[in-house]
Amino acid sequence: MEKRAIGIFDSGVGGLTVFKSIREYFPYEDIIYFGDTARVPYGPKSKHTVINYSIQNTRFLLQQNIKLLIIACNTSSAVAIPYLQKMTDIPVIGVIIPGAEEALSLTKTGRVGIIGTEGTINSNAYKNELLRLNQKLEIFAQPCPLFVSLVEEGWLDTQVTHLIIQEYLSVFLEEKVDTLILGCTHYPVLKAAIDTYFSGKVNLVDSSQAIIKHIKPFIDNSSLQIGKDLFYVSDNEVKFVKIADMILDKKVTNLKKVTLGESWFVE
Ligand code: DGL
């Protein structure tokens, strides 16, 4: 029987945190990853643009005959999922619902923090989902755009890293949250530094882990072939490989560059 791959897309390299966790849990699956490195970052862009890019990325992956579409990018997940679901009959899974559910299961005080890009925070997607799950939650949100650059520079434990963490996250200490959603693909890479800032007293929700529960129902474990990885980027292969090494702890091979040109564009 033909083996169809799981498709994952992200605005760039950060979604490899989601790729890594899916690869670990499902070693027999083939995975196709698309990082839109030509148009990253999505975080500061308008909702319209992010939806448009997400539609193009989805169209590209659907052409690869995938069986499941994972939206690793929080910013895309926050605004584009309903549009992407209309494009296909295969399951489309984003990171917002898994992250919100995980936060709800962890919080004891009902005081939950969310960090993400400006796009994710302004969309209120996590907040709305959390309140849909439990109206009594008290929610505090903060965009942390500089975290993306820290990770891409590989500055995971420098003086500057700790200062920026303090600047962005002190509000969560003041508000006494007991759970914080790391609502951006890059943030799990800073988990150790964030955990140190909170002295290990705040639950950190990593959607790259939380999403696994939502993928499991669609995976049958009958294949005994070790899964293949295929990576596509829209630009900057060298930078992608460099950061990928850090996130995955291994060399990325099987990398191709694609151009999502005019023919992909949908207004
Ligand atoms: N992948 C994006 C996210 O998870 C972060 C990087 C960007 O702004 O594109 O929201």
Side-chain angles (χ1 to χ4, degrees), residues 10-11 40-44 72-75 117 120 148 183-186:
D10 178 47
S11 56
V40 71
Y42 284 11
C73 180
N74 288 254
T75 312
T117 64
T120 299
V148 170
C184 172
T185 46
H186 290 63

Side-chain angles (χ1 to χ4, degrees), residues 140-204:
F140 307 90
Q142 165 77 46
C144 304
L146 293 179
F147 282 2
V148 170
S149 309
L150 289 178
V151 170
E152 301 213 346
E153 285 297 331
W155 293 356
L156 310 186
D157 189 21
T158 67
Q159 236 179 332
V160 140
T161 314
H162 295 289
L163 280 175
I164 294 175
I165 286 179
Q166 183 183 356
E167 190 67 33
Y168 281 144
L169 303 190
S170 60
V171 58
F172 297 114
L173 281 181
E174 283 154 28
E175 297 296 352
K176 297 190 172 51
V177 306
D178 76 342
T179 301
L180 179 68
I181 298 178
L182 307 179
C184 172
T185 46
H186 290 63
Y187 299 178
V189 185
L190 290 171
K191 207 164 159 182
I194 295 173
D195 197 42
T196 304
Y197 177 70
F198 289 123
S199 311
K201 292 196 176 113
V202 170
N203 303 308
L204 300 179

Side-chain angles (χ1 to χ4, degrees), residues 246-265:
M246 178 182 68
I247 295 179
L248 300 178
D249 237 342
K250 66 168 196 184
K251 273 257 161 303
V252 161
T253 50
N254 247 355
L255 174 68
K256 293 182 189 167
K257 187 175 149 193
V258 284
T259 302
L260 303 193
E262 288 295 307
S263 60
W264 304 106
F265 206 80

